[in-house]
Amino acid sequence: MRDNIEHPAPSLDFLHISSNNNNDTDIMHSTYRPRHTHGFEKKPVTKNLARTFAIRINRDITHAKTAHDILNIVNRDLENFDGVNISTAIHRLASFDMAPMMLKEIRSSEEFHQLVSKIPSKSSSLAIRNIANVLWGFAKLEYRSENVLDFLCNCLLYHKISQGLPQNIANSLWAIALLRYSPNDRVMKAIEFEIQKKIADFTDQNIANCLLSFAKCEDYAPQEATMLCLKRELLKKIDGFSAQALSNSVWGLSKLGAHDATVFKELVDASMPLLPSYNAQNIALTLWGFANVDFNPGKDCLQQVCDVAQKKIREFSPQNLVRIFTFLDTCFHNLRPQGILQSNLVWSLSSFEAYHPVFDDVVQQAIELLPHLSAQSVSNILWSFAHLDKPISREFLSAIASNASIDYSDWTPQNLSNAVWSISVSVSMQGVKGQSDANQKLFDLLSNEICSRLKDPKTSSEFSCQNLSNYFWSLGTRLESPGLPALENLMTSALIKMQDFKPQEIANISWSCARLDYYNKAAMNLIAGSVVQKMDEYEGQNLSNVLWAFAKLRHSCTALYKAASTYIPKKLHTFSYQHFGNMLWGYASLGFKDSEMASSVKAEVLQRASSGDAPESFQLANILWALSVSDAMDRETWNFLMKQISSNLNVKQETLTQVFQSKLILEARSPEQPWTIPDSLEDIAEKAWKDITRKVRISEFHSHVSQTLLDMSEEHEMEYMTPDGCFSIDIAFPKEKIALEIDGPLHFTRAGEPLGDSLARDDMLRARGWYVASIPFYSWSSDDPDSNTKLLNGILTRARSAVNA
């Protein structure tokens, strides 16, 4: 809270308030004209006469028919106003139902400012009820002046609050909260003291308003004792609560994080008979309150609330509509059996949709209200779709994408990143090929705006770590690059904030770069350093994605993999089977070996699978392949994995090829052991492997090598199939059993070291009696044929010497 200067009593040194210091001064007073001729004569009056005047003025104010009638009274008689007259005038002005433009006109009027400036001089006649009415009026009129509010709150402190009734106390707190005013803590503590002292006399509306107000005071947290007495009194009087009081209480308690299951259950029970009378605001506050604290009110309550919501859907404001989406998101995402709330009454999206069509109605209403929805609201609705695990309505996407009035330059980085992330989640559900034209159009609009801002260091600095990570993830999910310059700008923005990224965000960036095949050496080194530094914050998914991404981009970093090897055995419980596979693949691909880490993973996998946690066959095949390539396979693990994989009747082709390749690798490196595949898999696995082997593609580099050999009169065969049909050799000299493998960049790390699968290929060919030589891309010259001839001569000379030895 703001720490005001404390006065021993309310100060009368009040700054003059005129229309010149208010933002509303641009409105002309065209609706009424001041009247100077119908008032009392402006001359000194006695005390009794002043009292008579005040009574008459108050009667005129209370009988006024319009706000302008009250302003005319102010213009006529302000000199004779006392504190009660001021309070009554402000309260009555606020009581009229006025459109925003009318409110602005009233606030900007000279009469209103003169009325407000009169407050300090009449403070002695302001009782607590009058102060509360003035504060309430300011809140309703949306009038906020720090000077005036400071003065009134100092009046509250100066003993007057102790004279207040519960209604005065609750109204004062409500006004302070609604005006987003932050008095010093002494004022708030004094209000809390009066609440605790007089709680027995608080009505349902007083209790609900206090809860609502404390929830809206973002800079102040009420004392635990105050919350306890409010909750106790709520439970005593809950049977008499109105619909408004119930919904405000749910929202306030939820916003304050005061989740007491007993209180919420009582609120649900009290709400049930009143639900048909709930208006759109009551429904939205109630549902949002439940969702915010992951409280499940039960299927009966929710069905009835949604029935009422469906009937009144057209009464929902844009803000309340977003609250409904928040509720649906939380209910269907967090309150499932696997979510954080365990209850017999939790439900899933599919079961809920089976009996209630409210979701479609909410979406339709959102489409109709789209011109009135803020950027925040649109992005929140899109975000809710993503968390509902539900593809975004094509109609809703089309409405947004085709709305020419939406100015994306007005969207905040958070709005942009949330929206682009959400529509990309929708793509991940349907597949890239299944996305709608509207999704692509909207993504292009959002992406163009993001890229435009990332060009400028000033606007790019406004993107948070989460914003940048979300955009990276979206690009990777869609396999859609905005172009190298845009990616460089995106990465530059990320590098500046590298030390501030969370593990999930680092993992998203790494994963996306690998998916897009975007390599930035400096970025990879910085990411590796960040991961090593914060290794204890990483869990299975994030760490496995990073290790997978480094291997996919062929960036070998010993420090990273070494640090991970030490850490992984401590965090095995955070890894899923998929995470184990991705992590081990990273080690195997880059040729890193750690037998101790591999042993701990094998033990964990066997223990889980044996206890009934059945993995998918493709997940086990990933683990199988990686352990085989890394020389970390043993007979017990092999037999166990073979049994698990063969028990699945629908084994994918990729899984079958991994199984057979693993067998070939192990037979080549450990021929003394029997590496058998179950009969149900062996034939189809062998066929799958051989089918892949026959699918060959001859690169330009491959053709150049072949032509050079022919120019050297070296007869050879291209893509020679070994007699067992298991391998196609790039260039073979069958009679001499010399195999030349033409290895492009994808066979090596960025530092030029051969990858794990290339080393395994060579071992499998050697096990068949072949001499294997690699011709790496970096040794071949595109413009020096003589050096290429010399290279091949040297390779063949060494090969023939070895073969003939």
Side-chain angles (χ1 to χ4, degrees), residues 324-363:
I324 291 286
F325 271 102
T326 302
F327 153 74
L328 291 169
D329 163 33
T330 302
C331 289
F332 300 151
H333 188 69
N334 288 340
L335 303 187
R336 299 176 184 175
Q338 68 268 31
I340 60 175
L341 182 66
Q342 299 301 321
S343 166
N344 291 331
L345 295 174
V346 296
W347 68 100
S348 67
L349 173 61
S350 58
S351 64
F352 188 77
E353 286 190 323
Y355 70 80
H356 214 293
V358 68
F359 184 83
D360 291 337
D361 289 339
V362 173
V363 173

Side-chain angles (χ1 to χ4, degrees), residues 646-674:
S646 63
S647 65
N648 191 326
L649 298 178
N650 297 313
V651 183
K652 298 177 180 178
Q653 287 294 105
E654 185 178 358
T655 298
L656 293 170
T657 60
Q658 284 181 305
V659 166
F660 197 78
Q661 186 183 19
S662 299
K663 176 179 182 290
L664 294 175
I665 293 169
L666 293 170
E667 287 177 339
R669 292 177 173 175
S670 303
E672 70 284 356
Q673 300 257 24

Side-chain angles (χ1 to χ4, degrees), residues 135-156:
L135 288 169
W136 180 89
F138 284 165
K140 293 287 284 185
L141 290 167
E142 300 174 15
Y143 175 78
R144 189 181 189 282
S145 165
E146 290 282 334
N147 290 331
V148 182
L149 292 172
D150 286 347
F151 180 83
L152 291 171
C153 283
N154 280 331
C155 286
L156 287 177

Side-chain angles (χ1 to χ4, degrees), residues 132 184 302 338 343 345 347 364 415 568 684-685 702 711 800:
N184 65 49
L302 286 171
Q338 68 268 31
S343 166
L345 295 174
W347 68 100
Q364 189 58 43
N415 300 151
I568 289 167
I684 57 174
H702 191 166
D711 293 342
R800 285 166 177 153

Side-chain angles (χ1 to χ4, degrees), residues 548-566:
W548 175 87
F550 270 66
K552 187 77 166 56
L553 288 170
R554 299 175 287 111
H555 185 87
S556 181
C557 181
T558 303
L560 172 63
Y561 282 82
K562 196 169 184 179
S565 292
T566 304

Side-chain angles (χ1 to χ4, degrees), residues 541-647:
Q541 180 180 14
N542 299 330
L543 185 55
S544 66
N545 279 350
V546 170
L547 297 174
W548 175 87
F550 270 66
K552 187 77 166 56
L553 288 170
R554 299 175 287 111
H555 185 87
S556 181
C557 181
T558 303
L560 172 63
Y561 282 82
K562 196 169 184 179
S565 292
T566 304
Y567 172 76
I568 289 167
K570 302 174 186 176
K571 285 283 189 175
L572 292 174
H573 64 284
T574 68
F575 283 74
S576 69
Y577 290 113
Q578 184 66 34
H579 303 152
F580 282 134
N582 286 348
M583 177 269 294
L584 290 171
W585 183 88
Y587 276 87
S589 185
L590 292 176
F592 290 114
K593 298 178 181 180
D594 189 299
S595 58
E596 186 176 339
M597 181 273 290
S599 294
S600 68
V601 172
K602 288 188 291 185
E604 179 72 14
V605 170
L606 267 60
Q607 188 275 328
R608 282 194 205 177
S610 299
S611 62
D613 182 5
E616 297 287 340
S617 59
F618 76 88
Q619 295 169 336
L620 291 179
N622 287 341
I623 296 171
L624 178 84
W625 182 90
L627 291 174
S628 300
V629 173
S630 299
D631 295 333
M633 182 59 74
D634 60 79
R635 290 276 297 127
E636 180 188 0
T637 305
W638 173 268
N639 290 336
F640 182 85
L641 295 177
M642 283 295 102
K643 182 179 179 181
Q644 291 288 322
I645 294 171
S646 63
S647 65

